[in-house]
DNA sequence: ATAAAGGCTGACATCAGTGTCAGGGTCAAG
DNA sequence: CTTGACCCTGACACTGATGTCAGCCTTTAT
């Protein structure tokens, strides 16, 4: 299986596959002409890599347990859980921070809108609209 | 006011002040020796920049309305609200995505723990512990 | 005069995965 | 033999604010 086929089979770009290899995530053997050849099993490995990348793990973290996970069940690999735990803590920190920014942003937008309405009221202060007080 | 004093007064590094100037956020006049000189009012400008950066805005976005905001009230500057709106949408997208990752992560951790417990049970399957069924 | 403190520019590094391009082999079909 | 599809390596770009360093100039105090 050549790199183009692996790319086709996994939906991962050739560029990324070469990068994964460079990071020690996947292995290839070279043909005489220098072309990479992959075992069909590599497809599963790449799928696993996609999964872990989607969890926000780095290639370095993935490299730390991928071999074990591929050979055994994930639960057998003691390295996995600590990585998950650290990632979860990081994600939660980020969520808190984003929520804080979100709150600040909403507050400012509210204040801004209020201030604009006040300015408009000043401009149309001449014509007193009785309908305003009915609602 | 020289750059070291402005840095001292605002808590912003000299490096960052020079960067802000390069991005068109603050202005300085040069003395004959090439040293930057700042108006005392620049302190307020830098404080505003800090505030907007803390909202997650980029220097480019800030540059789009900072002059107006400094000269008038924020509510007077039509450029501000659209930037806030876009930023809010972006933040909320990020929060959703992080929550999705968080959920996936928690799910995997739960499954992992369950699987590990199952494995432990198999290992100690020989000694049948009657206390297990009491709880 | 000299040393210390502060200012100046320019440039590289950071995080990390991916796109993209240049320049060059390889192979199969016409 | 040529064309097109596929592969190779190496390298730069990107996102964006900041740290840091080198190399040099200015001012002030000793």
């Amino acid at each position: 299986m050549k790199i183009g086929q692996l790319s086709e089979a996994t939906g991962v770009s050739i560029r990324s596959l070469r990068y994964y290899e460079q990071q020690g995530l996947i292995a290839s053997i070279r043909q005489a002409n220098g072309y990479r050849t992959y075992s069909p099993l590599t497809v599963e490995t790449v799928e696993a890599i996609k999964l872990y990348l989607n969890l926000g793990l780095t290639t370095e973290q993935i490299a730390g347990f991928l071999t074990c996970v591929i050979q055994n069940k994930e639960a057998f690999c003691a390295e996995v859980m600590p990585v998950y735990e650290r990632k979860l803590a990081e994600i939660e920190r980020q969520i808190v921070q984003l929520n804080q920014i979100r709150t600040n942003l909403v507050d400012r937008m509210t204040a801004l809108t209020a201030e604009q309405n006040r300015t408009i009221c000043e401009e149309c202060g001449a014509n007193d609209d009785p309908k305003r007080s009915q609602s």
Side-chain angles (χ1 to χ4, degrees), chain A:
Chain A
M1 176 171 234
K2 282 185 292 185
I3 199 168
Q5 295 169 302
L6 183 58
S7 170
E8 194 73 17
T10 59
V12 171
S13 74
I14 292 178
R15 173 68 178 90
S16 294
L17 291 174
R18 289 202 267 247
Y19 179 68
Y20 297 164
E21 177 171 334
Q22 196 186 344
Q23 301 307 112
L25 298 183
I26 58 179
S28 69
I29 57 177
R30 298 303 181 103
Q31 289 174 327
N33 56 17
Y35 287 16
R36 290 172 176 83
T37 308
Y38 299 96
S39 151
L41 294 174
T42 311
V43 173
E44 319 302 322
T45 306
V46 173
E47 293 296 340
I49 293 170
K50 285 169 63 176
L51 187 151
Y52 291 126
L53 284 178
N54 280 336
L55 287 177
L57 303 187
T58 68
T59 54
E60 190 184 356
Q61 290 174 315
I62 299 170
F65 59 67
L66 187 61
T67 306
C68 177
V69 167
I70 291 298
Q71 287 174 350
N72 312 276
K73 288 174 110 166
E74 210 182 41
F76 184 82
C77 306
E79 304 94 325
V80 176
M81 190 56 108
V83 173
Y84 280 174
E85 282 165 352
R86 259 177 282 131
K87 188 65 196 179
L88 181 58
E90 182 190 336
I91 294 275
E92 289 182 338
R93 235 188 321 107
Q94 291 175 341
I95 291 176
V96 167
Q97 200 186 350
L98 282 183
N99 271 319
Q100 193 138 24
I101 293 179
R102 201 193 83 93
T103 302
N104 288 342
L105 215 41
V106 169
D107 286 353
R108 292 190 72 84
M109 290 171 74
T110 305
L112 202 54
T113 304
E115 175 69 20
Q116 282 170 344
N117 285 344
R118 230 171 298 141
T119 305
I120 290 170
C121 278
E122 284 171 15
E123 282 173 0
C124 61
N127 48 346
D128 217 347
D129 190 348
K131 282 201 295 281
R132 290 289 306 269
S133 47
Q134 284 180 0
S135 66

